[in-house]
Amino acid sequence: MLDHADFEPRSWIPMSGWPVDRNSLLPHYEAAADLLGIDDLQAEWPASASLPMTGPLFSERCFLSPIPDLGATLRARLQRAKNVQVFLHATALRLDTDSSGGWVRSIEVASTPNRRFRIQARSFVLACGGIENARLLLVSNRQTPNGIGNQHDLVGRYFMEHPRVKWGSLQVCHPDTALALHVPSIVARRPYLSEQEHCGVTGAFGLALRPEIRESERLLGSRTWIKPGPCANDLGGSEALHYLAFWLRKGRLHRDLIKSGRTILRHPAASVASAIERLGHSRGRVRHFHFDTILEQEPDPESRVTLDTRLDEFNLPRVKLEWRVGPLVRRTLERVQTIITDEMRLLGHRSDVRSSTQVPPGGDDIPYRWVRHHMGTTRMSADPRTGVVDATCQVHGLGNLFVAGSSVFPTGGNDMPTLTIVALAIKLGRHLRQWLE
Ligand SMILES: Cc1cc2nc3c(=O)[nH]c(=O)nc-3n(C[C@H](O)[C@H](O)[C@H](O)COP(=O)(O)OP(=O)(O)OC[C@H]3O[C@@H](n4cnc5c(N)ncnc54)[C@H](O)[C@@H]3O)c2cc1C
C-alpha cells in the first residue's frame, strides 16, 4: 500500500502529487485486499516482528496475496455473471471517436490479422498494462492525428519503473528471526518461523527510509530487501536459480527459464554454491546476505513510450520504449546504502557490511535492472495540462473513456503496484456503476 506521503506533492520532485489522497482510497484498498485474500490490511504488527531500527530506517510491510492469479480466481464469477461477456484471444487494435474526438464510438478488435470486428459501447476502460495503454491511445489516430487524449503531448511520457540494484554483503553470526522477516524467500515459505515468532503477520518486510528523512534530505522512496547469498561472488547464479525454480513450479516454459538455465551453465560453481547457501537458508542456517534495493523514480517527460516505425502482425506500429533514470535515484541509492550499512553495524551481532563493487563509484552509470512495474504513461492529474486522466481515471477531454492500471500513477512510491492498481480499478468500477445509471 502506498503511504500518505506518496500522494502528497513533494517540492523536490517535479510533477509529484496525486489528485487523490490515501484516506479517500482506503475503502477501495480494503475491498482490493478482500479480493486478493489479504485479511489484515490495517493490522498493527508487533514491534518484535521488525528489526529494532530506531534511526532513519523502518521496517515496512509488503502485502503478499495468497491468490495472485485473478484470472483463475474470478473466471467462474465472470462466467456466471449475466451482464458480462468475455472475449478471449481478442486483441484491441484501436479506438475510434466521433468527429469531435471527444467521444469513443467503438473499438476495433482482431482475433487474427484477417479476422476483425468492432465493439460499440457506452463507455470504454483501457486495462492493457502500463505500456500498451499508452500505445493504444497513440495508435488510435484516425480522428485525432496525435492520438486520443494526447492534446498536451503527454500520452506515453513519464514512463517509470522501480530501478533495482543488488549491492553489499551482510554476514550474521547466528540465525535471527527478525532478520528473517526481511528475507522474502524465507517469509514466502516460512520454513522455520513458528506461529509465535511470525506473530500472525502475513507479508514480508522491507527496509524503508522514514518520510521525514526523505523530506529533510529531499530523497525519493526506496525499499530494500535482504536476500540470501553474498552477491559479490554470485554472478547472477542465485537469481537464476530463483527464477528457474519459480517457472518450474508454475509449469510454464517462460523465456526466463531458458535465460536462467544459460546463466547457471555459464557459472556452474557459483550457482552450486548459491544452491547450497539457499538450502541452508530454508533450514534456518542463515549466514550470508546481500541487499536488493528498489527505488522510486522522479517523473521525467523524456522517459517515454512512442510508436516505432516497425509494424506488428496487425499492421500497426510497434511500441518503442526509452527508459531514463534521473540523478535523484542515484543520490537516494547512495544515502540508502550509507544508512543501512551504518544501522547494520549498530545492530552489533551483524558484521562485515561492505559496499559492493556492483555499484560503480562516482559518475559511472549504474546498471539498473527493472522489476516489471510499468507506470506513469497515462498519468493522473486534475489539470489536463499535466495529466492524461483525471482523479476518476477518465481521460481528459473524452466523455466515455477510462484507464485502469499503473499507467495512471503520477509517481511510483516504493511499493509493489498491484494492490493500488486493484484499489483504483474497484474505485473506477464503483464510479462507472453510478455513471452508467
Ligand atoms: C514476473 C513478475 C512478477 C511480478 N511480481 C509482482 C509482485 O510481487 N507484486 C506486484 O504488485 N506486482 C508484481 N508484478 C507486476 C504486476 O504483474 C503488474 O503491476 C500488474 O499485473 C499490472 O496489472 P494490469 O492489469 O494493469 O496489467 P497486466 O497484468 O499487464 O494486464 C494487462 C492485460 O491486457 C492484455 N492486453 C495487452 N494489450 C492488449 C490488447 N491490445 N488487446 C487486448 N488485450 C491486451 C494482456 O494480455 C494482459 O492480460 C510482477 C510482474 C511480473 C512480470
Side-chain angles (χ1 to χ4, degrees):
M1 193 159 49
L2 295 173
D3 68 28
H4 286 283
D6 291 324
F7 292 92
E8 308 272 312
R10 287 167 278 171
S11 60
W12 63 101
I13 305 174
M15 303 292 279
S16 60
W18 292 49
V20 289
D21 61 22
R22 197 173 82 150
N23 281 346
S24 68
L25 261 191
L26 261 185
H28 311 294
Y29 264 127
E30 273 160 9
D34 270 356
L35 185 72
L36 294 166
I38 297 165
D39 55 9
D40 49 1
L41 189 70
Q42 301 238 52
E44 292 287 322
W45 61 88
S48 61
S50 61
L51 284 177
M53 299 287 176
T54 51
L57 287 176
F58 72 109
S59 294
E60 192 168 27
R61 195 166 152 214
C62 173
F63 298 95
L64 298 176
S65 167
I67 44 162
D69 188 344
L70 286 183
T73 312
L74 298 180
R75 192 181 181 110
R77 263 169 75 181
L78 290 171
Q79 273 169 338
R80 277 198 309 274
K82 296 212 169 15
N83 57 350
V84 176
Q85 200 178 355
V86 178
F87 294 86
L88 296 175
H89 307 292
T91 301
L93 298 184
R94 48 184 162 184
L95 304 153
D96 281 304
T97 64
D98 63 6
S99 55
S100 75
W103 191 264
V104 178
R105 282 196 189 285
S106 64
I107 186 157
E108 189 184 359
V109 181
S111 46
T112 65
N114 299 322
R115 197 147 175 255
R116 298 181 182 215
F117 55 102
R118 198 166 275 286
I119 294 175
Q120 292 180 326
R122 283 169 65 192
S123 61
F124 295 83
V125 179
L126 293 187
C128 290
I131 293 175
E132 183 71 2
N133 280 348
R135 192 189 79 104
L136 263 175
L137 290 175
L138 291 172
V139 94
S140 299
N141 56 5
R142 282 198 276 231
Q143 289 80 24
T144 36
N146 291 339
I148 289 180
N150 201 20
Q151 53 276 27
H152 295 287
D153 188 22
L154 293 170
V155 172
R157 292 189 184 270
Y158 301 99
F159 173 83
M160 294 172 293
E161 252 277 358
H162 280 130
R164 174 183 168 195
V165 180
K166 283 165 69 170
W167 61 277
S169 139
L170 169 70
Q171 196 179 335
V172 301
C173 304
H174 53 81
D176 180 277
T177 49
L179 187 69
L181 283 169
H182 295 71
V183 183
S185 59
I186 292 181
V187 174
R189 283 182 276 121
R190 294 173 208 168
Y192 74 91
L193 301 178
S194 70
E195 254 319 286
Q196 201 191 10
E197 282 166 333
H198 215 280
C199 311
V201 173
T202 51
F205 289 86
L207 302 174
L209 294 179
R210 291 186 194 282
E212 49 282 19
I213 298 296
R214 296 199 314 252
E215 183 169 356
S216 65
E217 298 202 20
R218 302 169 77 80
L219 300 172
L220 293 157
S222 68
R223 190 178 299 227
T224 299
W225 307 104
I226 301 176
K227 296 265 182 86
C231 71
N233 306 322
D234 190 356
L235 305 169
S238 166
E239 186 144 283
L241 276 168
H242 170 78
Y243 280 120
L244 190 70
F246 177 82
W247 291 112
L248 285 177
R249 267 201 312 276
K250 283 203 166 249
R252 278 174 53 193
L253 195 63
H254 190 271
R255 67 168 185 276
D256 272 356
L257 193 73
I258 298 154
K259 227 167 77 184
S260 308
R262 280 204 198 118
T263 308
I264 292 164
L265 286 178
R266 266 204 310 275
H267 309 291
S271 301
V272 169
S274 249
I276 292 168
E277 182 89 18
R278 270 175 184 271
L279 277 175
H281 277 276
S282 64
R283 288 177 174 74
R285 289 195 287 272
V286 187
R287 288 289 181 274
H288 295 98
F289 300 94
H290 66 267
F291 300 101
D292 200 343
T293 299
I294 63 162
L295 296 130
E296 185 180 27
Q297 283 196 250
E298 64 263 54
D300 174 355
E302 299 310 319
S303 179
R304 65 187 296 203
V305 165
T306 51
L307 298 179
D308 201 356
T309 47
R310 291 172 310 143
L311 302 180
D312 67 10
E313 60 184 311
F314 301 106
N315 222 19
L316 289 170
R318 285 173 183 272
V319 77
K320 202 159 76 180
L321 174 64
E322 165 94 25
W323 178 37
R324 294 205 183 170
V325 180
L328 193 48
V329 175
R330 182 179 188 123
R331 190 159 74 76
T332 303
L333 174 67
E334 285 170 352
R335 278 301 287 147
V336 164
Q337 290 176 317
T338 306
I339 288 169
I340 290 183
T341 304
D342 291 349
E343 286 281 322
M344 289 293 164
R345 283 202 185 108
L346 284 176
L347 286 173
H349 64 284
R350 300 172 185 90
S351 60
D352 197 21
V353 182
R354 299 185 302 263
S355 255
S356 160
T357 50
Q358 293 212 335
V359 178
D364 293 356
D365 282 345
I366 297 176
Y368 293 112
R369 302 159 65 103
W370 59 88
V371 281
R372 305 169 177 95
H373 300 163
H374 303 154
M375 300 172 282
T377 56
T378 63
R379 70 195 314 274
M380 190 194 292
S381 170
D383 183 343
R385 289 166 306 177
T386 52
V388 176
V389 302
D390 67 13
T392 64
C393 292
Q394 180 168 352
V395 176
H396 283 294
L398 272 291
N400 63 341
L401 180 61
F402 302 82
V403 180
S406 46
S407 61
V408 305
F409 290 13
T411 47
N414 72 342
D415 197 18
M416 309 294 115
T418 305
L419 185 60
T420 304
I421 290 174
V422 177
L424 286 173
I426 288 172
K427 179 172 179 277
L428 174 58
R430 288 169 173 168
H431 172 73
L432 279 176
R433 191 163 55 195
Q434 285 179 346
W435 188 83
L436 288 168
E437 272 167 9

